[in-house]
Amino acid sequence: MSGVEIRELEAFLALADELHFGRAGERLYVSQSRVSQLLRSLEGRIGAPLVERTSRRVGLTPLGESFLSELRPAYDALRAGIDRARTIARGAGGVLRIGFQGSVDDHLGRAMSRFGDRYPDRAIDIVEIPLSDPFGPLRRQEVDCAVVLLPVTEEDLALGPVFSRQPQTLAVSVRHPFAARASLDAEELADCRLIGIDGGAPDYWRRAQAPGRTPGGLTVPAGPRVNTLQEGLSLAAADRGAMLLCRATADHQGRRESLAFVPVRGLPASELGLVRRRVRPSAQARAFALALAEVVGASA
């Protein structure tokens, strides 16, 4: 490893996602200059530039792209191993592990507060689930329950409650012709390349997040596939495709100057649902499902 520090790798991964030194620093809770320092140190150890910087843009070099494709899965596996060890050390019986996709919304936050009030001796761990693997962490028992985008038709998983019904929004580069539009009709998706989801997610689930046809039957051109939300947003910002998001996620990401978020009419609304193992679900998962159902019912 030649003295490579984990913080250097984290700085590179954050910068690869954000393509902006300031936003990468915000993700890591460090200054923009610290991100630059960490990147220079990593590039010095490797012996070549990983990132191209100009006054107008930040991008990965070919070596940076290659390094990213090899580093990402290794880093994710390392984090997963550490998380599993922490869970064992703390005692899985006293920890509720909640996986989630996208942003932690108000329903989820209030349900966690309610669960914490009822079970003050139970810790809560929040684990972000990649778009490419919505059900894998639950099946591998890395989490007790997970909040994922619908639809969910997995026979071994129980679904409910369902909540956060949101209109669909299209994320596009500010250079894209759609960026200046107040809204779009779903049939106009035939005029853009839609970023899809890679990995082990079921076909029906991936098609729901990035449909291949409009409601009227027009073909939607397929864009690149990604594993994470941040990868998709980075490609959209680079004008390599457009990505469908729920309105809540678009609002959360709205500060990105390189992206525009345009409402889309005529698509089914995006929904979230809590899933847990159907056979032998943990007691914590059942208790949290009840707390979330109460919160959803109170806000209905």
Side-chain angles (χ1 to χ4, degrees):
M1 292 287 287
S2 301
V4 172
E5 297 181 3
I6 192 70
R7 202 60 168 163
E8 296 170 356
L9 301 178
E10 290 174 338
F12 172 72
L13 289 170
L15 190 58
D17 285 341
E18 300 290 347
L19 297 179
H20 189 282
F21 280 86
R23 288 195 296 269
E26 290 176 8
R27 282 182 58 175
L28 298 175
Y29 301 101
V30 299
S31 66
Q32 180 174 328
S33 61
R34 178 59 175 158
V35 175
S36 182
Q37 180 186 29
L38 290 167
L39 179 65
R40 285 197 304 270
S41 178
L42 179 61
E43 289 176 328
R45 298 181 197 279
I46 289 175
L50 300 172
V51 173
E52 296 175 324
R53 318 163 183 79
T54 69
S55 59
R56 300 176 65 92
R57 66 180 297 275
V58 174
L60 299 183
T61 65
L63 176 61
E65 294 278 6
S66 175
F67 182 53
L68 176 64
S69 67
E70 296 184 5
L71 174 61
R72 177 86 65 186
Y75 178 80
D76 290 344
L78 175 62
R79 284 198 60 179
I82 293 172
D83 289 342
R84 283 193 292 271
R86 287 176 58 209
T87 298
I88 294 170
R90 294 174 62 178
V95 181
L96 170 66
R97 301 161 300 167
I98 306 172
F100 75 99
Q101 290 182 318
S103 304
V104 176
D105 75 346
D106 187 53
H107 288 104
L108 194 55
R110 284 188 285 140
M112 286 190 289
S113 295
R114 184 170 295 207
F115 178 89
D117 290 342
R118 289 177 178 170
Y119 305 97
D121 59 329
R122 302 292 176 91
I124 298 177
D125 279 352
I126 303 297
V127 181
E128 186 171 4
I129 293 177
L131 288 176
S132 59
D133 193 17
F135 310 123
L138 192 55
R139 287 172 171 148
R140 294 190 295 270
Q141 300 190 33
E142 297 167 1
V143 296
D144 297 297
C145 54
V147 175
V148 300
L149 290 161
L150 268 57
V152 177
T153 62
E154 306 300 293
E155 293 184 356
D156 60 326
L157 301 179
L159 171 65
V162 172
F163 62 102
S164 192
R165 184 179 176 84
Q166 298 279 344
Q168 298 265 29
T169 302
L170 190 69
V172 295
S173 165
V174 292
R175 303 186 299 277
H176 194 282
F178 287 165
R181 297 280 298 275
S183 65
L184 299 170
D185 186 88
E187 299 305 310
E188 294 179 275
L189 294 177
D191 298 325
C192 68
R193 297 174 68 227
L194 207 54
I195 294 171
I197 298 173
D198 208 352
D203 287 344
Y204 76 86
W205 191 88
R206 289 191 284 109
R207 286 194 300 270
Q209 315 314 322
R213 291 189 178 276
T214 69
L218 297 176
T219 299
V220 179
R225 289 186 172 188
V226 299
N227 290 296
T228 69
L229 172 63
Q230 293 302 324
E231 288 177 11
L233 292 175
S234 295
L235 288 174
D239 205 16
R240 292 180 58 187
M243 189 173 192
L244 282 172
L245 309 169
C246 70
R247 187 176 63 189
T249 300
D251 289 345
H252 182 73
Q253 300 290 335
R255 60 185 175 84
R256 297 174 67 124
E257 297 176 356
S258 55
L259 288 170
F261 300 93
V262 188
V264 181
R265 305 182 306 273
L267 287 179
S270 173
E271 293 181 285
L272 294 174
L274 183 74
V275 291
R276 56 195 186 278
R277 292 180 291 277
R278 191 176 295 279
V279 178
R280 293 192 299 275
S282 72
Q284 295 99 309
R286 290 194 298 268
F288 183 73
L290 176 60
L292 182 57
E294 292 170 353
V295 167
V296 171
S299 62

